[in-house]
Amino acid sequence: MERLDAFMARANAAYYATHDPFADFTTAPEISQVFGELLGLWAAMQWQAMGAPPQVILAEAGPGRGTLMADALRAVRRMVPDFAAALTVHLVENSPRLRAVQAAKLPDAIWHDTLATLPPGPLLLLANEFLDALPIRQFVRRGAGWAERYVADGAFVEQPAAPLARTAREGEVVEVDAAATDLVAAVAQRIAAEGGAALFIDYGPATSAPGDSLQALRGGTQADPLADPGSADLTAHVDFATLAHAARAAGATVHGPLPQGIFLARLGLFQRTGALARTQQPAVAARLLDTAKRLAEPDQMGRLFKVLAVCHPGLPIPAGFFE
Ligand code: SAH
């Protein structure tokens, strides 16, 4: 018997070590080069707002194929060369397999297993679909108290749990993303002390609510999350309200969560995509415009995906978070 978060950590470590996750799902940077370009330019704007320090860490947590960072660097080299000259790229990735894929695109990067080993100093951190892969715990309302979900032989087993300050009806599941909350709090504390800003993009509701959001994707289709650990990508919705609260408590300023579609549109997703499309044949141009819609339309990725910024309290409201 294994607590759900231990099971999820083990299953995902095995999955990312042995699979190409991008055979099972498609992420925003794999849909359009404009996604990474806009995030790179967002980081450049934060660097300027910080007073353009001569040295800055540009880090990404869970960089996947390295596409987002490669697109970001191309854009900042062209548009903000002083930022490109000041930054050092750090990647937080614990899969040796994906590190090799990233190294082919980003040969000058420095890799870390966790954020804890990043060197000190001002930090600009990007993380897309990273928090959703971190292990969660699930509690079930039972009578006047709570039970916690463990996994044994591919099924849930409930064990008595300590009181939990959450509201739910009998039998409802409440999720606690302790790993994501601790990580965001640690980033917030560091940014409050040493300067910088972080951008977390993931899917989940803006307000905490009961519900079982654990899901598994195997070969592009939904699968049983408890069967055959390591064969599927396990994710859960990110609890943005709890993350925002933890970041504020750690001394940072928080903006959002804001729907991804609004954020990207304000940063110029459609203008940049339109500029790319004008250089292409009509069929290719139409496909490009479709990718922008896929990222931004409310019924596609635009609403379920949210953007949360965690900033040093001295920074102005970052781009994308005002009209
Ligand atoms: N950001 C990428 C990839 C998302 S997949 C994109 O948008 O395409 C999740 C990524 O997080 C993978 O690179 C995976 O190996 C990494 N990852 C998952 N859990 C991790 C952990 N605990 N520590 C470090 N990296 C992790």
Side-chain angles (χ1 to χ4, degrees):
M1 191 167 69
E2 203 173 12
R3 209 167 75 184
L4 177 60
D5 55 338
F7 173 85
M8 191 172 167
R10 186 171 62 84
N12 269 347
Y15 172 78
Y16 283 108
T18 53
H19 287 73
D20 175 8
F22 301 94
D24 289 327
F25 57 84
T26 308
T27 56
E30 305 299 329
I31 292 170
S32 169
Q33 71 180 71
V34 178
F35 185 81
E37 292 173 352
L38 296 178
L39 265 51
L41 296 172
W42 185 90
M45 285 185 270
Q46 304 322 303
W47 175 74
Q48 285 164 340
M50 287 155 65
Q55 292 195 335
V56 66
I57 298 166
L58 178 62
E60 186 182 356
R65 282 181 172 162
T67 307
L68 190 168
M69 185 59 85
D71 292 336
L73 291 176
R74 190 184 55 251
V76 302
R77 280 187 196 119
R78 192 176 308 162
M79 309 287 290
V80 196
D82 292 352
F83 175 51
L87 66 84
T88 314
V89 175
H90 290 259
L91 303 176
V92 178
E93 174 61 68
N94 63 1
S95 157
R97 195 170 191 280
L98 286 175
R99 278 189 184 199
V101 176
Q102 293 152 16
K105 276 192 197 141
L106 304 161
D108 299 330
I110 299 158
W111 279 265
H112 302 262
D113 280 325
T114 73
L115 287 155
T117 55
L118 290 177
L123 168 69
L124 293 163
L125 173 70
L126 305 172
N128 182 60
E129 289 207 53
F130 169 67
L131 298 175
D132 65 7
L134 299 183
I136 59 156
R137 297 169 70 178
Q138 286 186 337
F139 296 86
V140 190
R141 185 73 180 171
R142 294 290 178 211
W146 295 90
E148 180 159 12
R149 282 178 147 182
Y150 286 67
V151 182
D153 301 327
F156 282 123
V157 180
E158 291 182 11
Q159 296 288 312
L164 195 67
R166 297 277 291 265
T167 355
R169 289 191 295 270
E170 174 65 25
E172 270 185 334
V173 171
V174 158
E175 296 181 335
V176 174
D177 6 342
T181 308
D182 291 350
L183 187 144
V184 169
V187 167
Q189 193 174 27
R190 177 198 161 115
I191 282 174
E194 302 193 44
L199 202 59
F200 295 99
I201 306 182
D202 234 303
Y203 59 101
T207 50
S208 312
D212 176 357
S213 76
L214 183 66
Q215 70 158 12
L217 279 182
R218 186 183 296 122
T221 52
Q222 300 272 349
D224 176 357
L226 304 188
D228 205 2
S231 71
D233 175 57
L234 299 188
T235 59
H237 284 185
V238 168
D239 180 359
F240 282 102
T242 300
L243 298 184
H245 183 267
R248 280 195 190 98
T253 302
V254 175
H255 304 277
L258 186 72
Q260 165 174 297
I262 294 173
F263 178 75
L264 294 178
R266 285 178 180 167
L267 291 186
L269 171 68
F270 290 99
Q271 290 84 340
R272 171 66 179 143
T273 306
L276 287 173
R278 278 193 288 283
T279 68
Q280 302 294 326
Q281 298 297 316
V284 179
R287 276 203 297 278
L288 277 169
L289 296 175
D290 279 345
T291 64
K293 288 186 189 153
R294 193 168 161 195
L295 295 179
E297 295 275 330
D299 60 347
Q300 302 205 43
M301 294 169 78
R303 190 175 10 231
L304 182 57
F305 280 78
K306 307 284 191 310
V307 186
L308 186 79
V310 173
C311 301
H312 185 274
L315 285 179
I317 301 175
F321 291 89
F322 56 86
E323 291 196 42

